[in-house]
Structures are given as C-alpha cells and as structure tokens.
Amino acid sequence: MNAVYSSPTAAPAWRLSLALLLAGAVQCTALADINIPSDGSDGSLVVDSDTVIDLGEAATGAWNVNNSANAGKGIYDPEKWAVVFKYSSVTVSQGATVTFKSHPSRAPVVWLVQGDATITGRVSLDGQGGQTPPKLAEPGPGAWLGGMGFFTSDLTGSAGFGPGGGRPAGRAGGGSHGTPGLGHGGDYGPLEPAPTYGNPSGLPLLGGSGGGGEYRL
C-alpha cells in the first residue's frame, strides 16, 4: 500500500491534518509505504460541487471495524484520536472543494482508500481566520485554536495554542508547524518565529498551531 500525506506546513495557522492512505496501485509521493487496509465500508466519495464533511457525525468505535451501518460518516476512534473513513474510492472533481466541520474532540481525519483516489479539485485544510474577541479561531481537525486578539488597551491578547503557537503583537505572528509561521510585530518590532515541529513522514498526525492575537488599539 502506498501513502500520500498532505502536511499542514504552510504559514497560515489552524490547518487540518489529513492522511490519504491509498490501498490501490498509485504513484507514491511519501517517503515510505504504510500497509493499512481499507474494507471500503464507507462507500465511494464523489464530490462534484463544494461539500462540507461533518466529522461530528462519525460513529464512536474502533477504527478498523466495518462501518456499513454508518456508511459515509466515518468512525471516531478515541484511543487513536482520529476520525477514520474507509472509502472504496474517492473522486473530487475539478472546481469542487471539500471542507470539514471538526469533530468535538478536534481529532485529525484519515481517509483509507481501497481503490482509486482522483483529486482534481481542492481539499481545504484551513481553519477559521481571525475572530472578534473574546472568541478564538477554530482550527481544522487535528490542529490548535488561534489566540485571542484585543482591540483596546484593557484587553490582553494571547499567543496561539499548540507547540508552535504564533506570538501576540500589533501584527501577530502566524502559527508554525513544519515551517515557521510568518508575522511582524508592527510598531513593536520583528517577531521571533514560533518553533517548528513534526517530521517528514507526517506521523503522528498533528496539525498546525494557532496564530497569535493581534492588537487593534
């Protein structure tokens, strides 16, 4: 089995962890093969128009059991901390975008694909952008919350959550993952980038850290 992993390493924060584990004969773009079977019990995923997949609809149980009774909605395995779909095939057509509503646990999402996976459209890995205080920006599945911004001098902003959380400042820093988050402190000078983390194999699945809160005085 060949594995293709889409790593949330770009500078924007709140990215999604998504693994595509392809059981069919495909060109391998990852560093190593991973032998994890798919029984195809979630059926075929065919996306011809913009689609939101609600991970909160997943049944709770062991990831490797047959999911025919809840086909198409996946299984949330709390021990593995992942929402797993076992598709027979996947097609995301050109011009179509797949996005996700996170599971309450904010667990990563995994697609196991028994046959072909053809993606000419877009699978969005982004979480929310900045939110009005005291709200925090929701991450994509498997990632961390953004920090709280602040609009007057009597509110204190916060750094983004996660091991690479962005720094709060006049122009807040982005959250890091495999690459440093970008940002500038505005009148407060340059920001030191948050530390990076993760590894080239993309396992274990971890998403990007949240961006820092921004001053708006």
Side-chain angles (χ1 to χ4, degrees):
M1 179 186 313
N2 295 314
V4 179
Y5 173 73
S6 182
S7 176
T9 58
W14 322 304
R15 293 257 170 165
L16 160 72
S17 289
L18 173 65
L20 299 181
L21 304 182
L22 309 181
V26 298
Q27 183 178 2
C28 181
T29 60
L31 298 180
D33 289 351
I34 303 174
N35 187 17
I36 302 176
S38 170
D39 61 12
S41 58
D42 277 292
S44 296
L45 176 65
V46 179
V47 179
D48 293 322
S49 59
D50 291 353
T51 299
V52 179
I53 297 176
D54 186 353
L55 303 182
E57 295 181 350
T60 299
W63 71 269
N64 56 353
V65 303
N66 186 284
N67 197 40
S68 297
N70 197 47
K73 297 182 179 179
I75 296 176
Y76 168 60
D77 188 327
E79 182 178 347
K80 303 298 184 183
W81 193 58
V83 179
V84 180
F85 292 83
K86 298 191 291 280
Y87 291 123
S88 56
S89 64
V90 168
T91 302
V92 181
S93 299
Q94 187 172 0
T97 298
V98 178
T99 56
F100 298 87
K101 181 179 179 182
S102 290
H103 189 271
S105 69
R106 299 193 179 95
V109 57
V110 175
W111 289 358
L112 303 179
V113 186
Q114 191 175 51
D116 293 336
T118 304
I119 301 175
T120 55
R122 181 170 178 259
V123 180
S124 174
L125 306 182
D126 293 338
Q128 290 181 327
Q131 300 293 299
T132 302
K135 293 181 180 178
L136 303 176
E138 281 291 327
W144 281 269
L145 291 160
M148 186 179 74
F150 46 111
F151 289 79
T152 61
S153 58
D154 59 347
L155 289 175
T156 301
S158 65
F161 291 74
R167 311 297 196 239
R171 296 176 186 165
S176 297
H177 187 260
T179 57
L182 302 178
H184 192 276
D187 295 338
Y188 300 88
L191 288 176
E192 180 182 351
T196 60
Y197 58 99
N199 59 73
S201 71
L203 296 171
L205 289 177
L206 290 174
S209 296
E214 183 173 327
Y215 289 100
R216 296 270 182 99
L217 300 180

